Amino acid sequence: MARTYKYTVDCGFTETQRIFYEENGYILFKKLVPEGDIDICHQRFLDVCNGKVKVFTVMRDKTLRDKGETRGEYLVNKIQELLEDDVFYDYYAAHPRVVEVIKNIIGPNVTAIHSMLINKPPHSNTQHSTHPIHQDMFYFPFKPADKIVGSWTAMEKINVENGGLYVLPGTHKGPLFPHGNSEDCSNEFYHGVRGFDHLPKLHLTMDKGDALFFHPHLLHGSSPNMSKNFRKAISVHYADSNCTFINTKGTVQERMAMDFEKLVNEKFGVTWDYINFFKMKSRLISGKPGKIQSMDSHL
Ligand SMILES: O=C(O)CCC(=O)C(=O)O
Ligand SMILES: [Fe+2]
């Protein structure tokens, strides 16, 4: 009987690669992004840390700040909304080698919907640099999940000691679970699931330029940085441009969407709809624009 594929399209993957992603919910490519391109992104990150370049979201590790740390790269633990920045766009989000893999998973019409660079400075507080087990889909108000994929690329050597990523293979086949704040993690913006600690974690060891691609239902997280070095990774999530927005009301995502809107209101004094926030920050990468671009596509 012919095999049916649910999570990939018939494009450039070999059958072995396709089956691997279908069964495990992730695929890792060694040395996908050339080191020189990673170096350009690293320099851009330093420029953001030093205030030379602006991106919309810059988060600092408050536990390091409380210890008196003031140096940018030693303090900034995450920057987001990188897609408006031409350097991050050209050298990572729209990188032909990254986009080629994305198209093999979700097809030719690709919109980048979320972007971040996560830095774990040395001497980070264990609880603050842990990312609890979660599913990225929790944050995304679109469907279908099978037409969304995350990319996560190591900007330096990454392993379990310095805060590397782990995955729970095959869990992408499950539903989206409720998430909440986690005891393992003191970062209020990171949500996690409970009840999966008994499942085996696969800790990934990655070199600079190695890229992981994963389904948004795949359970994953990252360990604390216990090393004396930095741990940096750049990540962009992509959706088929014909994904549609969902109404989060009554779903496990409702609370998170409401918390976001409350936070933005408190911090910036503006009223923002969670879905409009995604529309504002997404950017077409390849192929035709679709429903995700249209202002009246939701609800
Ligand atoms: O970089 C990390 O520590 C976690 C990143 C993550 O969960 C993601 O990119 O979805
Ligand atoms: Fe994640």
Side-chain angles (χ1 to χ4, degrees):
M1 205 174 70
R3 200 192 152 94
T4 54
Y5 296 93
K6 183 165 189 263
Y7 304 104
T8 54
V9 296
D10 188 6
C11 193
F13 273 174
T14 64
E15 199 183 353
T16 312
Q17 288 170 330
R18 232 180 140 182
I19 292 173
F20 189 91
Y21 187 87
E22 293 276 330
E23 291 307 318
N24 294 288
Y26 73 92
I27 187 162
L28 179 65
F29 287 87
K30 301 294 291 175
K31 298 272 170 208
L32 187 79
V33 182
E35 293 205 9
D37 296 343
I38 299 285
D39 292 339
I40 290 170
C41 291
H42 185 185
Q43 184 55 50
R44 198 68 171 174
F45 174 67
L46 296 181
D47 290 346
V48 172
C49 291
N50 298 329
K52 285 195 205 145
V53 169
K54 295 258 172 287
V55 296
F56 191 73
T57 307
V58 179
M59 295 177 184
R60 294 175 179 82
D61 183 325
K62 62 176 189 294
T63 63
L64 292 168
R65 190 167 40 202
D66 290 347
K67 282 198 228 160
E69 183 57 69
T70 55
R71 293 166 296 169
E73 194 185 13
Y74 287 80
L75 196 56
V76 173
N77 61 353
K78 194 178 200 185
I79 62 173
Q80 286 190 175
E81 283 73 77
L82 315 178
L83 299 168
E84 286 299 317
D85 182 86
D86 288 343
V87 173
F88 287 125
Y89 182 87
D90 289 344
Y91 288 90
Y92 188 75
H95 198 292
R97 302 193 70 176
V98 173
V99 176
E100 194 187 322
V101 177
I102 297 296
K103 286 183 185 166
N104 291 337
I105 299 172
I106 60 170
N109 302 312
V110 178
T111 296
I113 51 163
H114 182 58
S115 51
M116 54 193 178
L117 192 158
I118 304 171
N119 178 37
K120 295 190 184 185
H123 312 298
S124 305
N125 169 295
T126 307
Q127 268 205 323
H128 212 70
S129 74
T130 296
H131 205 128
I133 305 180
H134 66 281
Q135 295 165 304
D136 290 340
M137 196 62 206
F138 181 67
Y139 298 97
F140 301 145
F142 327 106
K143 67 176 185 195
D146 297 342
K147 288 288 180 190
I148 299 171
V149 60
S151 72
W152 192 94
T153 296
M155 296 178 72
E156 50 216 331
K157 240 185 197 323
I158 285 182
N159 52 38
V160 64
E161 282 80 36
N162 75 355
L165 208 69
Y166 62 80
V167 295
L168 278 61
T171 53
H172 65 301
K173 293 179 182 173
L176 178 62
F177 298 108
H179 287 54
N181 287 110
S182 157
E183 286 156 12
D184 304 333
C185 170
S186 55
N187 189 325
E188 63 196 298
F189 300 109
Y190 291 173
H191 300 86
V193 291
R194 283 173 198 268
F196 293 93
D197 288 312
H198 61 288
L199 291 179
K201 292 179 178 145
L202 179 69
H203 288 275
L204 302 167
T205 300
M206 295 168 71
D207 289 311
K208 183 171 170 181
D210 291 356
L212 179 82
F213 296 84
F214 59 108
H215 187 280
H217 279 202
L218 185 77
L219 288 163
H220 65 285
S222 68
S223 51
N225 183 5
M226 309 297 271
S227 77
K228 296 191 177 65
N229 303 314
F230 291 97
R231 193 238 70 174
K232 285 188 202 64
I234 184 162
S235 165
V236 172
H237 282 77
Y238 303 85
D240 177 337
S241 303
N242 271 314
C243 278
T244 48
F245 288 96
I246 61 156
N247 186 345
T248 55
K249 208 167 170 42
T251 72
V252 294
Q253 291 161 278
E254 179 176 10
R255 180 76 203 273
M256 191 266 315
M258 279 166 56
D259 284 354
F260 168 86
E261 288 168 7
K262 190 164 157 257
L263 180 99
V264 169
N265 194 274
E266 280 167 9
K267 221 173 158 181
F268 302 108
V270 290
T271 307
W272 261 7
D273 174 81
Y274 193 54
I275 287 173
N276 284 337
F277 176 61
F278 271 92
K279 287 187 189 231
M280 188 190 79
K281 69 184 189 154
S282 334
R283 199 163 161 195
L284 183 67
I285 296 285
S286 146
K288 296 197 194 90
K291 295 197 192 101
I292 214 163
Q293 271 84 19
S294 137
M295 284 315 280
D296 55 18
S297 77
H298 81 282
L299 321 182

